[in-house]
Amino acid sequence: MLQINTDNRINRDYGPPPEFRPGPVVSLAEVLAVLRFTRRHVPIISLTCCAALCISILYLIIAVPTFTAKAQLLVNSKLAMVDASAVSTVVESQIAIIKSESIATAVIEKLDLAQDPEFATGQFSSTISRLLGWSKPKSEASAARYALEPFERKLSAKRVGPTFLIEVTFESKNPDRAAEILNALVERYITHQMDNAGLQDAKWVKDRLNELSVQALAAQKALENYRKDGNELADSAATIEKLTAAAESTKNTYDSFRHVVRKTEATQQQTSPVFEASLVAGAFPPLKASWPRARIVLGISALGGLLLGVAIGVLRDLLDRGIYASGQEPRLSAQDGGIIERPVPDAVRPDLQSEASAKARAVRFTGSG
């Protein structure tokens, strides 16, 4: 009779059963050891926690609060971009423009931040350098450069998710000052984008077009006036020819410049995106300080005090074990009454107990006088 070994087929199809590995188990002895450690070092841990909390409370009282103003910008591109990496590149490039040195310098000059004590860093070192002759006297340009570093440190800009929104923040000790600086920076950024949106917005292009237009109109008007008043002169034909050539030349120059401007604008719109920045939410003076936060400071100090107390307790236990393992205990000296270290045997054999006790009785205290 044919029999099929189903067990072998199952083992062959599914493989051997997985090996059972028990997880880590905390024994009762370990728990008791932790409890005994905690009970022994409760005074030290409590003392370190209280000291850390006192230091944190003192810091909260002394520390100058910092206020953070926030604003949101929307950056739109006129070119349709379906690639997420291209969109990210566009937004990151605008963030770099917001945090650029040119924008910061313009805001510092507009609000005169170089004279603000919050931004005038390095005054003491620069004064010593000038007294020693190591540097030149401080000018307005150098003062603005000194204010640039703290300004950039207080400024922050980041992208809001996978969108064209940019959140800009600025920190200051004065909430009204923080909102004022941030609004000035946003205004400067939008103005910068509008000035560079295209050649049609450039001031020099408009001025040049107006200048050429005035010249063309003046030449044409001179020609018309001469034709009315200069017909009886002998050289009227030659003069009219010169005026006609001047009028045609100025008109051709004006038309050529307009053609070049339009062609350049069309080329720029096809090769590079044109951005439009708009303000979504302006900056308002913050109602509460962004730092220090009492809960965070107290929580960190309490955790630090607890860890410090545990570390001190572990160190004490290690030192005690080292002393006990060395086999030495403090004894009083017979000569000067001081404390000396004498080795103590770990165990005494039964046949030597009487001799050891006799030696122990022989040791006695005597006065030095």
Side-chain angles (χ1 to χ4, degrees):
M1 183 175 181
L2 182 62
Q3 293 182 353
I4 299 175
N5 192 349
T6 58
D7 295 337
N8 294 335
R9 187 178 63 184
I10 292 174
N11 294 334
R12 190 167 55 251
D13 294 341
Y14 298 99
E19 182 181 358
F20 176 74
R21 296 180 179 179
V25 179
V26 180
S27 63
L28 180 61
E30 294 176 351
V31 176
L32 294 177
V34 173
L35 293 177
R36 287 195 299 269
F37 174 84
T38 306
R39 183 177 59 187
R40 287 197 310 271
H41 301 291
V42 163
I44 297 177
I45 296 176
S46 301
L47 182 62
T48 54
C49 288
C50 291
L53 289 175
C54 292
I55 294 174
S56 63
I57 293 174
L58 182 62
Y59 169 75
L60 292 174
I61 296 174
I62 297 177
V64 179
T66 301
F67 298 88
T68 303
K70 297 181 180 181
Q72 284 188 344
L73 289 169
L74 177 63
V75 181
N76 293 331
S77 175
K78 292 184 178 180
L79 292 183
M81 291 179 293
V82 295
D83 190 3
S85 61
V87 175
S88 178
T89 302
V90 169
V91 178
E92 291 297 330
S93 63
Q94 298 305 304
I95 291 177
I97 294 175
I98 293 173
K99 300 171 67 176
S100 63
E101 184 175 338
S102 60
I103 301 293
T105 304
V107 176
I108 291 173
E109 293 178 355
K110 180 180 178 180
L111 300 179
D112 197 16
L113 298 181
Q115 307 301 326
D116 193 332
E118 187 177 355
F119 297 90
T121 59
Q123 291 182 350
F124 181 74
S125 60
S126 62
T127 302
I128 296 178
S129 300
R130 289 197 303 272
L131 293 176
L132 297 177
W134 295 346
S135 63
K136 297 180 180 179
K138 192 173 182 181
S139 60
E140 294 183 0
S142 62
R145 295 290 299 176
Y146 279 116
L148 185 62
E149 181 180 354
F151 185 92
E152 293 177 346
R153 188 172 60 250
K154 296 173 182 294
L155 176 64
S156 176
K158 64 179 181 179
R159 183 183 180 187
V160 181
T163 63
F164 283 96
L165 284 175
I166 298 176
E167 184 181 76
V168 188
T169 60
F170 194 87
E171 298 178 354
S172 178
K173 299 177 182 179
N174 189 342
D176 298 330
R177 191 66 163 171
E180 180 185 8
I181 294 173
L182 186 55
N183 287 327
L185 184 137
V186 170
E187 180 182 357
R188 176 58 187 170
Y189 166 72
I190 294 176
T191 304
H192 177 271
Q193 294 302 93
M194 292 176 62
D195 292 341
N196 293 274
L199 289 178
Q200 70 276 6
D201 295 326
K203 186 176 182 300
W204 69 271
V205 175
K206 293 181 179 181
D207 295 340
R208 183 58 178 166
L209 285 173
N210 293 332
E211 182 182 356
L212 293 177
S213 177
V214 170
Q215 292 178 1
L217 291 176
Q220 184 66 27
K221 187 175 181 180
L223 177 60
E224 293 177 356
N225 293 335
Y226 186 80
R227 284 178 177 176
K228 294 179 180 179
D229 303 333
N231 292 332
E232 297 178 356
L233 297 176
D235 57 345
S236 60
T239 304
I240 290 175
E241 184 178 356
K242 292 181 180 179
L243 293 176
T244 303
E248 291 179 355
S249 176
T250 54
K251 184 177 183 303
N252 292 334
T253 303
Y254 175 73
D255 293 339
S256 299
F257 188 77
R258 289 187 60 185
H259 177 71
V260 171
V261 170
R262 292 177 180 178
K263 186 177 180 179
T264 306
E265 291 175 357
T267 304
Q268 284 189 347
Q269 290 179 359
Q270 293 176 2
T271 57
S272 61
V274 179
F275 299 99
E276 293 180 353
S278 59
L279 182 62
V280 177
F284 295 95
L287 300 179
K288 59 181 180 179
S290 58
W291 187 261
R293 297 182 180 179
R295 293 182 179 179
I296 296 178
V297 173
L298 293 177
I300 293 176
S301 63
L303 180 60
L306 177 63
L307 295 177
L308 180 61
V310 172
I312 294 175
V314 172
L315 183 61
R316 288 189 60 183
D317 287 350
L318 292 176
L319 293 176
D320 293 342
R321 291 177 184 177
I323 293 175
Y324 294 152
S326 64
Q328 297 178 354
E329 68 176 9
R331 296 287 183 88
L332 291 176
S333 174
Q335 296 180 358
D336 53 2
I339 298 177
I340 60 175
E341 299 289 340
R342 292 184 179 179
V344 178
D346 294 337
V348 180
R349 292 182 300 177
D351 55 348
L352 298 178
Q353 287 183 358
S354 59
E355 182 180 358
S357 60
K359 291 182 179 180
R361 286 195 298 272
V363 177
R364 61 181 179 179
F365 296 96
T366 59
S368 59

